[in-house]
């Protein structure tokens, strides 16, 4: 099957529509100019037969000189050019005091020299010198840029070695967990996935090609490696924005779509268990409650957060307005040991504004921006580790002067959440090349031991998955994607004591297996 590259998300479609309209406007303008140019050429052809630059006109008759015939381009000793018939008549009418019509230098008919060439063009010598100088400066700047990039790579390597040294001094050893390539599975239109380690099931959301952007859910048995039948979704569902398998080992999955719908399906029967339709806006993110198998949360495109109790099927238990109207691109239910009181549920959401803390009691709730994330930049991703209770947030600069296909300048920062609900910024952060347009997926890999986590992110400039220690951001490993397409999603799960890291692109699933020391 062919891979589909058509955009399915609203913000991408709106951006493309804006570009298309702008391009259409430019095309229409160019066509109008071409039409005007054509009409001008027709008008000019009635008098001269050809539209040329001013430098190609005889200054006597103001007509175009030719490459042969009576009006062949000719030159006087002073260097000025004329049509032969024109300069011939000019000098014949002044036999005793023939002079150049432009500089008045004396000349006669015998001084006229015919020029034979396909085209004669006037060249501005000073402009040519300026162009040569600019080209020389451009080449010099390109060489300096290459040297700076080489120096940057060397400095990053030195910085990473220093971070590893600091880690070793603090813990007595270097990060010992590592991953190796296991296998890969070809898919078509991969967008997002999740892994249930206990049941050894992977659920993948795909966009079918050649079917008007229809989305399906594909289930894979990780024990046997077999891909089961697709779960077809209604056409009104539209693009799937987020997908989460239940952590309560009940075989349920929740996903949100741009059709303003949040649905819960059973992985055993492949039937929709529950569907919440006609939400105030499209759900961009969703999350299960870590302590209660009945509660589900959704972050909407308009900045709202909805709280659902699946025992209440008519609608959300609570609809909470956010501090901003920016889309909530990620949401996490925080572990119970970080909640001040037992009757308050805590959420952490992320939008382009930054991280936001939500405290919910029953059907009531309130939110505040996490103060240490204010004015850091544009937040594009966040990952949360329930056991260690820390967060890694990813940002890009608000002003970027050199955006290109290799991403833009950004950074990752690690935050620790205290028991009283406040956050402290870790002393470590790291620079990175991040996605210039979308909201990339990141993950925190938790090996189940104290301070044994890795942060997984995608580096656009090198097209690699980078594994870093979130406490120091020392690089542990780098993996080149086996596909030439960008990374869509990354997830980690523990399967029978060994870790499985999945990397999803449009055309394949790449699996990495962890090896303990």
């Amino acid at each position: 099957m062919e891979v589909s590259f058509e955009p399915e998300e609203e913000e991408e479609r709106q951006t493309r529509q804006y570009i298309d309209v702008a391009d259409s406007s430019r095309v229409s303008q160019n066509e109008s100019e071409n039409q005007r140019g054509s009409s001008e050429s027709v008008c000019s052809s009635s008098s001269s037969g050809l539209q040329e630059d001013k430098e190609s006109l005889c200054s006597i008759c103001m007509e175009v000189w030719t490459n042969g015939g009576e009006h062949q381009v000719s030159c006087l000793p002073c260097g000025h050019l004329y049509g032969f018939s024109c300069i011939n008549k000019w000098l014949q009418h002044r036999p005793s005091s023939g002079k150049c019509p432009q500089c008045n230098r004396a000349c006669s008919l015998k001084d006229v020299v015919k020029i034979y060439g396909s085209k004669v063009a006037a060249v501005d010598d000073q402009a040519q010198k300026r162009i040569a100088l600019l080209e020389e400066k451009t080449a010099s700047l390109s060489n300096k840029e290459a040297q700076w990039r080489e120096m940057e790579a060397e400095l990053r390597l030195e910085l990473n070695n220093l971070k590893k040294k600091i880690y070793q001094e603090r813990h007595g050893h270097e990060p010992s967990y590592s991953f190796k390539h296991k296998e890969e599975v070809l898919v078509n239109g991969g967008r997002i996935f999740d892994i249930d380690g206990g049941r050894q099931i992977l659920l993948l959301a795909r966009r079918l090609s050649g079917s008007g952007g229809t989305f399906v859910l594909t289930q894979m048995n990780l024990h046997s490696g077999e891909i089961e039948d697709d779960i077809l979704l209604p056409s009104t569902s539209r693009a799937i924005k987020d997908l989460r398998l239940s952590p309560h080992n009940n075989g349920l999955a929740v996903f949100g779509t741009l059709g303003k719908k949040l649905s819960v399906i059973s992985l055993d029967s492949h039937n929709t268990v529950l569907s919440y339709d006609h939400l105030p806006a499209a759900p961009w993110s969703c999350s299960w409650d870590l302590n209660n198998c009945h509660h589900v949360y959704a972050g909407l495109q308009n900045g709202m957060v909805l709280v659902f109790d699946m025992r209440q099927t008519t609608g959300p238990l609570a609809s909470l307005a956010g501090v901003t109207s920016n889309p909530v691109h990620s949401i996490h239910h925080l572990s119970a040991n970080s909640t001040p009181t037992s009757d308050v549920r805590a959420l952490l959401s992320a939008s382009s504004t930054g991280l936001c803390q939500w405290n919910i009691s029953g059907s009531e709730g309130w939110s505040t921006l996490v103060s240490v994330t204010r004015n850091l930049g544009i937040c594009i991703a966040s990952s949360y580790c329930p056991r260690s209770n820390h967060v890694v947030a990813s940002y890009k600069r608000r002003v970027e002067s050199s955006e290109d296909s290799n991403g833009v300048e950004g950074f990752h920062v690690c935050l620790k959440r205290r028991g009283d609900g406040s956050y402290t910024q870790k002393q470590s952060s790291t620079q990175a090349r991040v996605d210039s347009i979308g909201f990339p997926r990141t993950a925190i890999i938790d090996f189940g031991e104290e301070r044994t986590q890795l942060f997984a992110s995608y580096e656009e400039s090198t097209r690699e998955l980078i594994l870093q220690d979130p406490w120091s951001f020392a690089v542990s490993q780098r993996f080149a994607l086996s596909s030439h397409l960008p990374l869509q999603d990354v997830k980690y799960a523990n399967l029978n004591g060994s870790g499985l890291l999945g990397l999803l692109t449009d055309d394949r699933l790449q699996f990495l297996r962890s090896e303990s020391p």
Side-chain angles (χ1 to χ4, degrees):
M1 294 186 293
E2 297 181 355
V3 178
S4 172
F5 296 95
E6 297 181 5
E8 74 283 353
E9 300 180 354
E10 282 189 353
E11 69 279 7
E12 295 177 349
R13 182 166 57 253
Q14 291 171 358
T15 301
R16 288 187 177 274
Q17 287 176 348
Y18 173 80
I19 295 174
D20 292 340
V21 170
D23 289 342
S24 299
S25 177
R26 286 192 291 270
V27 169
S28 299
Q29 182 179 357
N30 291 337
E31 289 178 350
S32 299
E33 292 176 353
N34 291 337
Q35 291 174 357
R36 288 200 303 271
S38 300
S39 61
E40 291 172 358
S41 298
V42 172
C43 294
S44 176
S45 64
S46 63
S47 58
S48 63
L50 185 66
Q51 180 71 21
E52 292 287 347
D53 294 336
K54 184 177 180 180
E55 290 82 0
S56 301
L57 300 179
C58 172
S59 59
I60 296 177
C61 66
M62 298 308 293
E63 295 289 345
V64 180
W65 55 55
T66 62
N67 293 325
E70 295 183 355
H71 205 245
Q72 181 173 347
V73 58
S74 304
C75 178
L76 296 181
C78 59
H80 291 118
L81 303 177
Y82 304 96
F84 180 78
S85 58
C86 290
I87 193 63
N88 187 27
K89 292 178 182 179
W90 180 277
L91 295 176
Q92 282 181 348
H93 292 161
R94 296 167 177 78
S96 59
S97 59
K99 294 181 180 180
C100 173
Q102 295 188 58
C103 64
N104 290 327
R105 180 175 174 177
C107 59
S108 62
L109 281 174
K110 66 179 181 179
D111 297 322
V112 179
V113 177
K114 292 183 178 181
I115 296 176
Y116 299 89
S118 59
K119 185 174 183 180
V120 178
V123 177
D124 189 339
D125 186 57
Q126 293 298 322
Q128 290 292 320
K129 290 181 179 179
R130 288 196 295 269
I131 291 174
L133 181 61
L134 288 174
E135 289 177 346
E136 183 180 348
K137 288 183 178 180
T138 301
S140 176
L141 290 174
S142 298
N143 292 333
K144 288 183 179 179
E145 182 181 7
Q147 295 174 2
W148 291 336
R149 289 188 179 276
E150 185 176 349
M151 291 175 59
E152 181 185 16
E154 293 176 355
L155 289 173
R156 285 192 176 186
L157 179 60
E158 183 179 354
L159 177 62
N160 185 58
N161 291 334
L162 289 173
K163 288 179 177 180
K164 283 186 176 180
K165 184 178 179 180
I166 294 173
Y167 185 95
Q168 187 172 8
E169 290 175 351
R170 288 180 177 178
H171 306 286
H173 61 85
E174 292 187 2
S176 53
Y177 285 90
S178 63
F179 285 85
K180 285 190 176 181
H181 179 78
K182 180 176 181 280
E183 62 180 339
E184 61 183 48
V185 178
L186 297 181
V187 299
N188 177 35
R191 289 299 181 267
I192 192 171
F193 74 104
D194 202 5
I195 304 174
D196 186 338
R199 299 167 65 91
Q200 297 195 34
I201 289 176
L202 182 146
L203 190 63
L204 167 68
R206 298 191 302 118
R207 182 179 186 270
L208 299 181
S209 59
S211 59
T214 300
F215 270 73
V216 299
L217 296 175
T218 301
Q219 186 171 318
M220 179 179 180
N221 189 314
L222 295 176
H223 178 72
S224 63
E226 296 180 356
I227 295 180
E228 302 180 4
D229 295 336
D230 291 331
I231 306 173
L232 297 178
L233 303 177
S235 58
T236 55
S237 298
R238 299 174 63 185
I240 296 178
K241 290 294 293 182
D242 202 4
L243 168 68
R244 299 291 171 176
L245 294 179
S246 172
H248 303 289
N249 197 30
N250 53 13
L252 298 179
V254 61
F255 60 94
T257 71
L258 289 181
K260 298 183 180 181
K261 178 185 296 187
L262 189 77
S263 302
V264 178
I265 66 168
S266 169
L267 301 183
D268 297 326
S269 64
H270 292 182
N271 292 325
T272 300
V273 176
L274 193 59
S275 182
Y276 296 100
D277 302 332
H278 310 297
L279 301 181
W284 274 44
S285 56
C286 54
S287 173
W288 290 90
D289 192 297
L290 298 175
N291 307 314
N292 190 321
C293 64
H294 301 293
H295 291 163
V296 179
Y297 309 97
L300 304 189
Q301 186 176 3
N302 62 359
M304 294 179 62
V305 164
L306 303 185
V307 180
F308 297 91
D309 186 330
M310 291 194 299
R311 294 165 294 188
Q312 180 176 315
T313 61
T314 57
L317 177 67
S319 300
L320 310 176
V323 294
T324 72
S325 59
N326 296 326
V328 179
H329 56 70
S330 56
I331 189 169
H332 314 280
H333 177 252
L334 302 177
S335 59
N337 58 6
S338 64
T339 305
T341 58
S342 58
D343 61 337
V344 175
R345 288 169 286 165
L347 303 177
L348 183 69
S349 69
S351 67
S352 59
T353 306
L355 300 181
C356 187
Q357 167 84 35
W358 301 76
N359 293 311
I360 303 169
S361 178
S363 61
E364 302 294 329
W366 58 99
S367 62
T368 56
L369 284 174
V370 177
S371 59
V372 295
T373 67
R374 292 178 183 271
N375 302 320
L376 291 182
I378 300 174
C379 182
I380 57 176
S382 69
S383 297
Y384 171 65
C385 180
R387 190 181 60 82
S388 63
N389 214 15
H390 69 277
V391 181
V392 176
S394 303
Y395 291 82
K396 68 178 180 181
R397 307 294 183 186
R398 291 192 180 278
V399 178
E400 180 61 47
S401 59
S402 60
E403 293 191 9
D404 54 35
S405 59
N406 291 326
V408 298
E409 289 296 330
F411 59 94
H412 309 295
V413 61
C414 184
L415 308 175
K416 176 71 175 180
R417 190 170 188 272
R418 297 193 183 102
D420 61 359
S422 62
Y423 292 82
T424 57
Q425 184 172 343
K426 304 301 294 184
Q427 60 181 0
S428 60
S429 63
T430 185
Q431 302 294 318
R433 297 290 292 182
V434 299
D435 196 321
S436 59
I437 300 176
F439 297 95
R441 301 283 178 171
T442 60
I444 295 179
I445 302 168
D446 186 10
F447 295 103
E449 300 177 12
E450 184 63 25
R451 296 180 73 90
T452 54
Q453 293 88 31
L454 289 175
F455 171 65
S457 64
Y458 176 59
E459 181 81 24
E460 282 210 19
S461 59
T462 60
R463 296 187 51 76
E464 294 176 314
L465 181 83
I466 301 182
L467 300 181
Q468 297 169 283
D469 168 46
W471 306 95
S472 64
F473 285 106
V475 176
S476 174
Q477 285 183 285
R478 292 175 178 266
F479 288 95
L481 296 185
S482 58
S483 171
H484 68 282
L485 300 173
L487 184 70
Q488 295 280 3
D489 198 7
V490 54
K491 290 290 193 320
Y492 171 82
N494 189 292
L495 274 68
N496 296 330
S498 65
L500 184 69
L501 184 63
L503 314 178
L504 176 66
T505 58
D506 188 287
D507 61 349
R508 68 193 66 194
L509 262 171
Q510 184 177 351
F511 292 106
L512 308 175
R513 180 77 68 174
S514 68
E515 296 182 344
S516 58

